[in-house]
Each structure stands twice: as C-alpha cells, then as structure tokens.
Amino acid sequence: MCRKDEFPGEPFQEECWRYLLETAGIESEVTSDLIVQFAHHVEGLGRTRVTDEVVQKSEMLIRHIFNRPELEKQDVLGRICGIKFIVPYIVEKWKTDVFNQPNAILICYKNSISHEYSDICWTTCSVLPHAAHPQKLTWKSTKIQNKMIEQLHICKEPSLDSVIQHAQNICDSLKLMADKSQIHDANVIKIKDVMVQVYACLLKYKDSNVMKYKKTLLYTPIIFHPKLKILVTCNRVVKSLQTNEIKPYLMEVPEEYGEYFKLLRC
C-alpha cells in the first residue's frame, strides 16, 4: 500500500531494527487513513481501464480489509463504501450479448448487489464479485456479516424499480433478437431460467404495486416462449384455450410459467 521510498532504507528494513524504528515513531500498522488513501489510489488507476495492476491492488486491498481483526468495530468500512476500487462481477457473455452491464470500470460498495442476484439486475445494478462480499467471511457470524453489509451500504437485494427496468431492458432486446431469429438454441434454456427468476422476484411485489406493474409491464414483451423462441406481451396469453392458438396473437402461457400466471396476466 506504500511506495518503496516510504519504507526505511537499508539496512533498516531488517527485522532486527523494528523495535528501534517503532520506538522512534515509525508507523508499523496499516491505519484506516492508509486504507482510504490506497482505495483512492486504486480508483484513480482504474478510471480509464482495468489493468492487471488494478486487479491485483484491488484484490489485495479487499483481502487486507476483510482480514483486519474486529473490522466491524472500526470506521474503515463506512469511509471506503463510496470509493470505486472494486472490479465488478462480470456476467456470462451471452447475457451481455442480450444487454450490457452498466458502463462502470470499477464499482464501489455503496448500493451494490451480491452476484447471486445478477440474473435479475445485471443491466441496472453494480454487481459485487463473491470475493468482495462480506458473505464470503463464513468464519464470522451472520450478525457480524450483516453489520458489515450495513456499514458498507450494500443492498441486500435489488430494488423493485431496478428489477422492473432490468426486465424491460432484456425483454425489449430479446424481442428484437427474436424478430431477427438471433436467439440461439443453446441459449433458450438459459433465457428461460433467467426469466423465471425475474418472474419470481416480480411476483413477490405485485399485490402492493399493481399500478406500477400495469404502467410498465403491460406493454413490455415479458413472456418468453421457449419452444417458439418469441417474446409477447401479457395481453396475448391466457391460462388455457378451448380453441387453437393464434400465434403470436393469442396463446396459452407456457406450462413452465404456470405458477407465475398471476403476474403474467397483468
């Protein structure tokens, strides 16, 4: 975390000189101020692109922070939470082919999301890699992990607005891809799995946000039909039909989405 010229010169770098140097007042511990200073240094290095040096220094800083004893009782987490020194979690290429992640080279802890939620918000949220999230500290109690998450201002789950916007982003893009026959067979199951996660999240909030759903999702082609590789709006599907389907204008909800019909009939 320091430049070479900030360390004692020869022969004072040897361990036998440590007591004398500490007695003379040299700093021997990594302070909160030094951590904040180094975080800003990494942020500056990564303003234009992420080099190997940036990755190495970012990972080193995160490891040091997480290994500090009684970290949750210090002020360092609150001081660094808004500094962009973290290399974000990168989703699979097929997902960015559908819709890119936010154009952020480095991200900060504040308002970021665990990578576990990436499928329902990768286009709208800063996504933390596992190695940078307090949940990886399995030797610490859940109470301490939660306190660290609170101090870092990490979101425990994405907001409803961010999930709705994400749904609009990927569905509008997938609709264009479907219209051009650009949805590959190899990605059909992957897309379906992502959509199921989006539906499950949205369904949790539907009853308390009916008007928001009607305004935003009614005209979004949110229903992905795996067999036909098309996307349609909610008003084009019903739970069951007594007559033949009129594709793509009137169809039954794919059976895979049966438990989400309450959402899809918005």
Side-chain angles (χ1 to χ4, degrees), residues 84-127:
K84 295 181 179 180
F85 69 93
I86 306 162
V87 179
Y89 175 79
I90 305 299
V91 300
E92 299 94 320
K93 185 179 183 303
W94 76 266
K95 294 177 182 176
T96 56
D97 287 343
V98 173
F99 203 100
N100 276 324
Q101 292 181 255
N103 187 24
I105 299 174
L106 295 178
I107 62 173
C108 64
Y109 276 110
K110 191 172 185 178
N111 297 326
S112 61
I113 289 291
S114 167
H115 76 286
E116 296 175 355
Y117 294 101
S118 62
D119 279 356
I120 61 174
C121 66
W122 85 75
T123 70
T124 54
C125 295
S126 296
V127 184

Side-chain angles (χ1 to χ4, degrees), residues 48-61:
T48 55
R49 65 192 183 99
V50 177
T51 62
D52 290 342
E53 179 187 9
V54 171
V55 173
Q56 181 184 15
K57 289 185 173 182
S58 173
E59 292 176 348
M60 179 188 69
L61 180 56

Side-chain angles (χ1 to χ4, degrees), residues 102 171 185 236 256:
C171 290
D185 291 341
R236 293 192 179 187
E256 298 97 322

Side-chain angles (χ1 to χ4, degrees), residues 156-217:
K156 291 191 174 181
E157 60 182 24
S159 67
L160 175 60
D161 286 341
S162 66
V163 177
I164 288 178
Q165 184 60 57
H166 174 71
Q168 290 179 296
N169 289 343
I170 62 174
C171 290
D172 287 342
S173 180
L174 284 168
K175 177 67 165 60
L176 292 175
M177 294 173 67
D179 291 346
K180 297 177 182 178
S181 300
Q182 293 177 344
I183 294 180
H184 302 299
D185 291 341
N187 292 334
V188 169
I189 294 178
K190 298 175 184 177
I191 294 171
K192 185 199 73 174
D193 290 344
V194 165
M195 295 311 302
V196 165
Q197 291 187 62
V198 171
Y199 300 154
C201 178
L202 293 175
L203 187 60
K204 290 193 304 182
Y205 299 100
K206 185 176 189 298
D207 289 339
S208 58
N209 293 274
V210 174
M211 292 310 297
K212 180 174 288 189
Y213 277 88
K214 287 185 178 296
K215 289 180 180 179
T216 57
L217 297 183

